[in-house]
Amino acid sequence: MKSWIAFWNILKKDVRNYYLKPPNISWGIIFPLSWTLMQLIRSPDGNILELLPGLIAMSILFGTTSMLAVTITFERSGRSFERLLLAPIHLSTMVLAKIAGTILFGTFNAFVPVIFAALFADLRAVNWGALLLTILLIALTSALTGLLIAVSAEQVFEAQTLANFFRFPMLFLCGLFVPIARLPLLLRPLSYCLPLSYGTDLLKGLLTRQNSLSPALCFGMLLFFAATLFLICRHRIQQKWIL
Amino acid sequence: MISVTGLTKTYGSVCAVNNISFEVAKGEIFGFLGPNGAGKTSTINIMTGLSRPDAGEIELAGIDVRRQPKKAQAIMGIVPDESNLYNEMDGFDNLCFCAALYGMPKSEREGKARRLLEQFRLDDTGKRPFKAFSKGMRRRLTIAAALIHSPQLLFLDEPTTGIDVESSRQIRDLIRELKRQGTTIFLTTHYIEEAERICDRIAFIARGQIVAAGTLPELMASVSHQHAIRFVTAGSTNTPAAELESQFPGSQVSIQADHSIVMTSKQRIPLLPVMKFLHNIGVEVHEARELTPSLEDVFVKLTGIQSSALTEPERKGSTR
């Protein structure tokens, strides 16, 4: 019960202090919307459903990794993060609470292009439960990537630079722009080491039925990445922040 | 309440805490006095579980901090050297959030937050965010946040550094009040007067080591092996120092520039015979005062560090 109170209040505090701030809400709407419009202008005859997996994936990736890396680095530089480390709550509870807010923010970001697409395309065939689960899993792995970045950065600008260092190669390697099968042979193994590749494949399957991997494998791999990243993050926090 | 044995911590090539041991009794105010970079914050960080020691044992109320840091953190309140609450939140929300971290239910934490805001004279701050508070107010709220879960043990790292005189006085009064209520307090400071005024026992820390520890009289006694009396005389006199010394064997007499006479002896100096003797030789004495060393003198003598070094800016790198 005590852990739950702490978890809920860390989440509530982050949502109020960071995610519900007008600049972040507007960023969360404008960013995915701009991507969508950009893609539509580039290929006006293109099927928006074919663009949707990429737009959802990019919206989640950019929303979650940025927010968590920046908010944690910000709290660390002001030393308020020490309060969480000194509280009598398990490190896992604290990590879960911190990423929960980001997952919600990423999910919100993901649904902006979905709502936009619903104006132009028929989405009745979409399995919404599976889509939500996929979005949550992509948000979870991206949030944990953001946390890993936050552990490695000392300053907010460092976190942003590091985040871009990870995000852009991920976008090009995950099969969004070029299918993995058409990537140079040397890069393909790298693609399969990225959680976003499995998330993108799931989204493609759910929205356009153009997946190349089994959905069960993709869900399994996303869960595997989430668990591994979680353990790495926890270990890194213990090593780096509890000196 | 606190038992620390052989605590050692090294950051790179710098030994921040070097094999220190001490004990603090329940309800005691224990002060760690030393200059910046002496190892005070490093010691607190290790004791609170924010840092891992290279060697040594720490027990807080019988809880092994190294093995059960979270259990130990539940009974302690921590006031870091910087006021580190959330800038965007007001005083009430900050206190409620800190209480929630200790698992306090909503009604309990809201009631306690209101009481603490009142006790710390911050109840008129309303919805003002923490970032708009003055330094003294920020410090008071940070201390209130550390007390929200009624800890048995309170760590205060430089509680009055950089704040105004009135806020410092309020914080010192509050520390005394907490002691009366039975809270054990571990305090670090580089203000000698602060340690002297509120601590039951003081440890001098320098270069990561405890140089001396004890009550104020014990520390004084450790350097003062002689009795000294200063006689303030009326104007210029040719006081015969040698005559005084022969009259009172075992004593040394020195005449100061202001013509006062300082008499030192390993034995207690009998005041009346000396006064009579001086009167008989025509020296008029206006005042006689026993000279005792100040805590500052004791600190300088024991650590070899000039007291001015206590207030020098911190050299980064030796602590966290």
Side-chain angles (χ1 to χ4, degrees):
Chain A
M1 183 63 184
K2 284 187 172 185
S3 290
W4 171 245
I5 292 174
F7 173 89
W8 175 244
N9 279 276
I10 294 171
L11 171 61
K12 208 166 69 174
K13 187 263 299 168
D14 280 356
V15 170
R16 269 192 200 159
N17 280 9
Y18 308 120
Y19 304 115
L20 285 184
K21 290 282 174 202
N24 288 329
I25 294 178
S26 56
W27 192 79
I29 296 170
I30 290 168
F31 182 77
L33 214 58
S34 310
W35 279 107
T36 313
L37 285 172
M38 212 163 69
Q39 294 294 327
L40 281 176
I41 290 165
R42 196 178 64 94
S43 48
D45 303 328
N47 181 359
I48 194 161
L49 276 181
E50 282 178 11
L51 301 173
L52 206 50
L55 294 168
I56 293 174
M58 280 195 290
S59 302
I60 302 172
L61 183 69
F62 277 82
T64 49
T65 46
S66 292
M67 286 305 287
L68 198 63
V70 169
T71 56
I72 289 188
T73 318
F74 176 72
E75 284 191 359
R76 290 228 333 119
S77 63
R79 289 182 64 183
S80 51
F81 197 77
E82 274 178 23
R83 294 207 162 265
L84 306 181
L85 293 173
L86 288 168
I89 48 169
H90 202 274
L91 199 57
S92 302
T93 310
M94 190 266 278
V95 170
L96 286 172
K98 292 302 281 184
I99 60 171
T102 314
I103 291 170
L104 289 177
F105 185 70
T107 307
F108 165 75
N109 280 4
F111 275 98
V112 173
V114 175
I115 293 165
F116 194 73
L119 301 174
F120 301 95
D122 183 4
L123 299 178
R124 277 179 296 184
V126 174
N127 179 344
W128 291 101
L131 182 68
L132 180 65
L133 184 63
T134 305
I135 287 173
L136 286 172
L137 281 173
I138 299 174
L140 173 63
T141 50
S142 302
L144 287 164
T145 308
L147 183 58
L148 205 56
I149 292 164
V151 185
S152 312
E154 294 291 329
Q155 299 293 329
V156 174
F157 72 88
E158 260 182 77
Q160 286 285 29
T161 313
L162 260 174
N164 285 335
F165 183 77
F166 281 98
R167 281 186 304 215
F168 286 105
M170 268 167 95
L171 274 183
F172 290 100
L173 289 170
C174 74
L176 267 180
F177 301 114
V178 184
I180 296 174
R182 275 199 264 147
L183 282 173
L185 205 62
L186 274 171
L187 291 177
R188 273 183 234 168
L190 211 58
S191 294
Y192 290 113
C193 292
L194 300 173
L196 197 62
S197 304
Y198 301 95
T200 307
D201 200 71
L202 271 174
L203 289 173
K204 279 182 179 172
L206 284 164
L207 296 164
T208 62
R209 317 256 177 247
Q210 288 173 2
N211 53 313
S212 53
L213 300 166
S214 127
L217 172 76
C218 290
F219 275 121
M221 286 307 286
L222 280 174
L223 285 171
F224 166 76
F225 275 113
T228 310
L229 281 167
F230 180 79
L231 292 174
I232 295 172
C233 283
R234 215 183 58 172
H235 177 73
R236 290 280 293 149
I237 289 173
Q238 257 170 346
Q239 290 299 307
K240 212 166 167 214
W241 292 343
I242 302 173
L243 297 168
Chain B
M1 189 69 176
I2 302 176
S3 172
V4 171
T5 318
L7 203 64
T8 302
K9 178 74 183 175
T10 306
Y11 296 101
S13 60
V14 179
C15 188
V17 180
N18 189 0
N19 192 28
I20 65 171
S21 303
F22 59 89
E23 298 218 336
V24 181
K26 191 172 168 19
E28 191 176 31
I29 303 179
F30 186 80
F32 238 35
L33 179 69
N36 288 324
K40 304 189 296 292
T41 300
S42 296
T43 307
I44 279 201
N45 284 344
I46 297 168
M47 289 167 76
T48 54
L50 198 59
S51 180
R52 273 185 291 266
D54 298 332
E57 300 296 327
I58 315 135
E59 267 194 19
L60 305 179
I63 303 164
D64 185 335
V65 177
R66 292 186 78 173
R67 287 192 181 86
Q68 297 175 290
K70 293 295 159 190
K71 197 176 173 190
Q73 282 163 352
I75 63 153
M76 61 170 88
I78 304 142
V79 179
D81 53 349
E82 276 177 41
S83 300
N84 67 341
L85 286 162
Y86 295 89
N87 276 329
E88 305 297 325
M89 287 154 70
D90 61 39
F92 180 74
D93 284 348
N94 258 307
L95 292 186
C96 286
F97 176 70
C98 291
L101 293 179
Y102 290 86
M104 281 168 75
K106 194 176 182 203
S107 59
E108 197 184 324
R109 61 178 182 253
E110 288 186 349
K112 189 76 190 285
R114 279 193 196 95
R115 283 196 298 278
L116 280 170
L117 284 174
E118 213 174 286
Q119 187 187 346
F120 283 76
R121 296 177 214 167
L122 293 165
D123 47 338
D124 58 347
T125 52
K127 287 275 154 204
R128 207 189 314 173
F130 183 66
K131 65 181 172 195
F133 281 27
S134 71
K135 265 190 180 176
M137 285 160 74
R138 288 163 75 95
R139 208 69 193 127
R140 295 207 307 270
L141 191 69
T142 307
I143 298 177
L147 297 172
I148 193 83
H149 59 294
S150 311
Q152 298 173 39
L153 175 59
L154 183 65
F155 288 96
L156 291 156
D157 196 0
E158 309 275 2
T160 60
T161 299
I163 59 170
D164 59 278
V165 177
E166 177 57 17
S167 292
S168 298
R169 195 185 57 76
Q170 283 175 6
I171 289 170
R172 279 196 295 271
D173 288 346
L174 177 94
I175 293 169
R176 289 189 196 100
E177 179 56 33
L178 287 169
K179 177 190 158 62
R180 272 193 288 276
Q181 290 167 11
T183 310
T184 307
I185 295 162
F186 182 93
L187 171 143
T188 75
T189 183
H190 56 241
Y191 295 139
I192 288 177
E193 313 82 58
E194 183 164 274
E196 201 167 359
R197 279 183 197 172
I198 56 174
C199 295
D200 297 317
R201 281 195 307 131
I202 299 163
F204 292 153
I205 181 164
R207 294 170 284 271
Q209 285 182 306
I210 291 181
V211 181
T215 61
L216 202 57
E218 282 167 357
L219 287 169
M220 301 289 196
S222 67
V223 294
S224 169
H225 305 298
Q226 287 198 318
H227 299 276
I229 293 180
R230 179 192 181 101
F231 298 94
V232 180
T233 61
S236 168
T237 48
N238 291 322
T239 311
E243 211 173 312
L244 256 172
E245 281 174 354
S246 65
Q247 191 70 26
F248 300 95
S251 66
Q252 290 89 47
V253 175
S254 64
I255 312 298
Q256 307 295 302
D258 63 352
H259 307 289
S260 62
I261 303 160
V262 174
M263 201 169 172
T264 52
S265 170
K266 283 187 178 166
Q267 284 87 45
R268 281 208 160 273
I269 299 164
L271 203 55
L272 201 60
V274 179
M275 301 269 282
K276 261 187 183 170
F277 175 79
L278 289 170
H279 178 74
N280 289 341
I281 61 169
V283 177
E284 197 181 332
V285 177
H286 284 181
E287 188 184 324
R289 194 192 312 152
E290 186 169 15
L291 297 178
T292 50
S294 65
L295 188 62
E296 188 176 333
D297 298 328
V298 179
F299 180 84
V300 172
K301 193 154 187 180
L302 289 176
T303 62
I305 296 169
Q306 285 304 311
S307 57
S308 58
L310 284 170
T311 48
E312 272 175 11
E314 187 164 3
R315 282 185 301 264
K316 295 283 175 193
S318 53
T319 56
R320 289 184 60 253

